[in-house]
């Protein structure tokens, strides 16, 4: 997180790829740093859009979902999921992370419902 702040202080433009890398680091930290990953999404989404960009791609959102999954934070995963669905199309990674977050917290019905949805959209193959 400090690296992004330093880049901005030095006049560099922070882009989706750089933010995605830091979100990945938050997801891979032990324990996962979900709060910081979401803070990045909240802070940089408006900036990316204001500078003419589309905002975050599905990879960035999927990585944030992965952080939620590893932390066992189903509630936050659902919040990230809603943002993702409003802005990009989910893929098999985003579904897998959300389904994993549901499974880690014992929400098996929700996990099965999401699996069916992913299959209907062609995001999961058997």
């Amino acid at each position: 997180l400090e690296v992004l702040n330093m880049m901005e202080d030095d006049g560099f433009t922070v882009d989706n790829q750089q933010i995605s890398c830091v979100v990945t680091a938050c997801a891979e930290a032990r324990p996962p740093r979900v709060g910081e990953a979401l803070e990045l999404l909240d802070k940089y989404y408006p900036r990316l859009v204001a500078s003419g960009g589309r905002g975050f791609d599905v990879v960035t959102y999927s990585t944030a979902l992965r952080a939620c999954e590893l932390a066992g934070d189903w509630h936050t995963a659902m919040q990230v999921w809603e943002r993702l669905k409003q802005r990009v199309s989910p893929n098999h990674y985003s579904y897998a992370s959300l389904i994993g977050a549901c499974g880690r917290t014992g929400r098996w019905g929700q996990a099965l419902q999401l699996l069916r949805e992913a299959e209907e959209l062609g995001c999961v193959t058997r």
Side-chain angles (χ1 to χ4, degrees), residues 47-74:
R47 293 180 188 189
L48 291 174
V49 172
S51 67
R54 290 186 30 220
F56 300 119
D57 60 16
V58 69
V59 173
T60 304
Y61 284 112
S62 297
T63 304
L65 285 169
R66 176 75 174 145
C68 296
E69 174 191 6
L70 294 171
D73 190 344
W74 175 82

Side-chain angles (χ1 to χ4, degrees), residues 67-118:
C68 296
E69 174 191 6
L70 294 171
D73 190 344
W74 175 82
H75 180 72
T76 302
M78 291 305 294
Q79 292 174 348
V80 173
W81 182 251
E82 290 306 316
R83 290 183 200 180
L84 179 152
K85 287 178 64 175
Q86 291 172 5
R87 298 171 179 159
V88 297
S89 296
N91 65 13
H92 59 285
Y93 292 113
S94 48
Y95 271 104
S97 292
L98 184 59
I99 289 167
C102 290
R104 283 181 184 253
T105 57
R107 289 175 166 70
W108 303 111
Q110 182 78 26
L112 289 173
Q113 178 183 356
L114 287 164
L115 180 59
R116 280 188 224 104
E117 180 181 310

Side-chain angles (χ1 to χ4, degrees), residues 16-73:
N16 180 63
Q17 185 176 5
Q18 294 155 339
I19 296 163
S20 186
C21 288
V22 178
V23 172
T24 298
C26 291
E28 298 300 325
R30 295 295 170 256
R33 297 166 75 168
V34 174
E36 291 174 7
L38 295 183
E39 184 180 311
L40 286 169
L41 297 182
D42 291 341
K43 178 179 179 179
Y44 286 101
Y45 181 80
R47 293 180 188 189
L48 291 174
V49 172
S51 67
R54 290 186 30 220
F56 300 119
D57 60 16
V58 69
V59 173
T60 304
Y61 284 112
S62 297
T63 304
L65 285 169
R66 176 75 174 145
C68 296
E69 174 191 6
L70 294 171
D73 190 344

